[in-house]
Amino acid sequence: IIVAIHIKDQHGQFLFKSKTGSPPEDHIDRSVDIIYKGQLIGNVRLVFSLEPYKMDLLWLRNAILYALSASVVVILIATGFLLRIFMRKPLSILQTGIDRVAKGEYEYGFDEIQYEELSGIARRFSEMAREIQSREKALHRVNRELKHEIADRKTAEEKITLSGAKYRSILENMEEGYFEVDLEGVFTFINNTMVDLSGYSEEELIGMDFREITDEKTAKRIYHIFN
């Protein structure tokens, strides 16, 4: 059922990735942040496949049809010559009903069967057909919800990507120097103005500790979280 497990740290770096590649067409994707002592330390993502459920549903339907077909065959063999004469018509109706249900006509009611001996079988078969129909409707509903969820997520991701690009463009072209560091004080982003002010190239600054380009007093005053 679980086809992929992805675990990331707070910086978005993978700590564990059980599977690569695209998930199956029918799947449910869930993710949750990992909080420890009030702080975000990572994220875990699980991808669940709906294929096992669909296979179980198919197996259930086939098992019911095979079992009922086998029951009809046993009845035909056990009744003998007399039953073949007197029950040929109702058995023909029952077989026709089985064939129609097997083709997806789950609402067929076997109303033409008047024999008490077969009405119970037909009634039970109708109940099983309705159960299969209900399960298939539930699966279709889940598929629709999943498609809507995927479409909504794709739209949201596109908006986030566009917003991030605009934000990054503003930062890169603003007149004031701007930079970002991680929890260790290492530069992770620096705009063009800050590159000009620092005297280093962008390639040199990314990955450099900010304390390498400023004195200790200034570093402690601005970034008091560092010792």
Side-chain angles (χ1 to χ4, degrees), residues 63-85:
I64 292 174
L65 294 177
Y66 291 152
L68 290 172
S69 298
S71 299
V72 172
V73 171
V74 170
I75 291 174
L76 290 173
I77 295 175
T79 53
F81 179 75
L82 291 177
L83 291 180
R84 287 198 302 271
I85 294 176

Side-chain angles (χ1 to χ4, degrees), residues 169-226:
S169 177
I170 293 172
L171 292 180
E172 289 178 347
N173 296 284
M174 64 190 300
E175 295 182 358
E176 292 80 6
Y178 177 86
F179 62 90
E180 297 174 1
V181 297
D182 60 17
L183 294 178
E184 301 297 329
V186 175
F187 288 111
T188 58
F189 173 79
I190 187 165
N191 70 352
N192 296 329
T193 303
M194 192 63 191
V195 171
D196 295 338
L197 293 174
S198 68
Y200 293 88
S201 67
E202 182 179 357
E203 290 75 14
E204 292 174 324
L205 288 172
I206 297 300
M208 179 188 296
D209 193 308
F210 79 93
R211 285 163 290 198
E212 295 182 26
I213 64 171
T214 186
D215 58 85
E216 183 178 354
K217 182 179 179 180
T218 302
K220 287 185 177 180
R221 178 168 57 84
I222 299 178
Y223 300 98
H224 58 82
I225 62 172
F226 298 104

Side-chain angles (χ1 to χ4, degrees), residues 18-226:
S18 65
K19 183 178 180 181
T20 58
S22 301
E25 179 178 356
D26 293 332
H27 71 280
I28 297 176
D29 194 320
R30 292 291 184 267
S31 63
V32 63
D33 291 334
I34 303 173
I35 306 298
Y36 179 71
K37 293 185 177 180
Q39 293 186 349
L40 175 67
I41 64 171
N43 176 273
V44 60
R45 175 189 175 209
L46 299 176
V47 179
F48 301 89
S49 173
L50 293 178
E51 290 299 326
Y53 175 77
K54 294 172 62 178
M55 293 300 296
D56 288 344
L57 182 61
L58 180 62
W59 178 88
L60 176 62
R61 183 182 68 180
N62 291 339
I64 292 174
L65 294 177
Y66 291 152
L68 290 172
S69 298
S71 299
V72 172
V73 171
V74 170
I75 291 174
L76 290 173
I77 295 175
T79 53
F81 179 75
L82 291 177
L83 291 180
R84 287 198 302 271
I85 294 176
F86 293 105
M87 301 190 68
R88 180 176 299 171
K89 182 178 179 180
L91 288 175
S92 176
I93 296 174
L94 182 60
Q95 184 62 52
T96 300
I98 292 175
D99 294 338
R100 292 177 65 175
V101 172
K103 294 177 181 179
E105 298 181 32
Y106 300 117
E107 297 180 357
Y108 181 74
F110 300 92
D111 296 330
E112 300 178 21
I113 296 180
Q114 305 297 328
Y115 289 81
E116 183 177 355
E117 292 79 2
L118 294 179
S119 61
I121 297 176
R123 185 166 53 253
R124 179 55 180 162
F125 195 88
S126 297
E127 293 174 357
M128 292 181 178
R130 286 192 294 269
E131 181 180 353
I132 294 175
Q133 183 182 30
S134 176
R135 289 177 179 268
E136 286 198 345
K137 287 181 178 180
L139 180 59
H140 291 325
R141 184 173 62 255
V142 170
N143 286 338
R144 287 195 301 270
E145 293 174 354
L146 181 60
K147 290 180 180 178
H148 291 158
E149 182 177 342
I150 292 174
D152 293 342
R153 176 164 300 197
K154 183 177 180 180
T155 301
E157 290 177 350
E158 291 175 351
K159 291 181 178 179
I160 291 174
T161 301
L162 180 60
S163 176
K166 291 182 178 179
Y167 172 73
R168 186 55 60 98
S169 177
I170 293 172
L171 292 180
E172 289 178 347
N173 296 284
M174 64 190 300
E175 295 182 358
E176 292 80 6
Y178 177 86
F179 62 90
E180 297 174 1
V181 297
D182 60 17
L183 294 178
E184 301 297 329
V186 175
F187 288 111
T188 58
F189 173 79
I190 187 165
N191 70 352
N192 296 329
T193 303
M194 192 63 191
V195 171
D196 295 338
L197 293 174
S198 68
Y200 293 88
S201 67
E202 182 179 357
E203 290 75 14
E204 292 174 324
L205 288 172
I206 297 300
M208 179 188 296
D209 193 308
F210 79 93
R211 285 163 290 198
E212 295 182 26
I213 64 171
T214 186
D215 58 85
E216 183 178 354
K217 182 179 179 180
T218 302
K220 287 185 177 180
R221 178 168 57 84
I222 299 178
Y223 300 98
H224 58 82
I225 62 172
F226 298 104

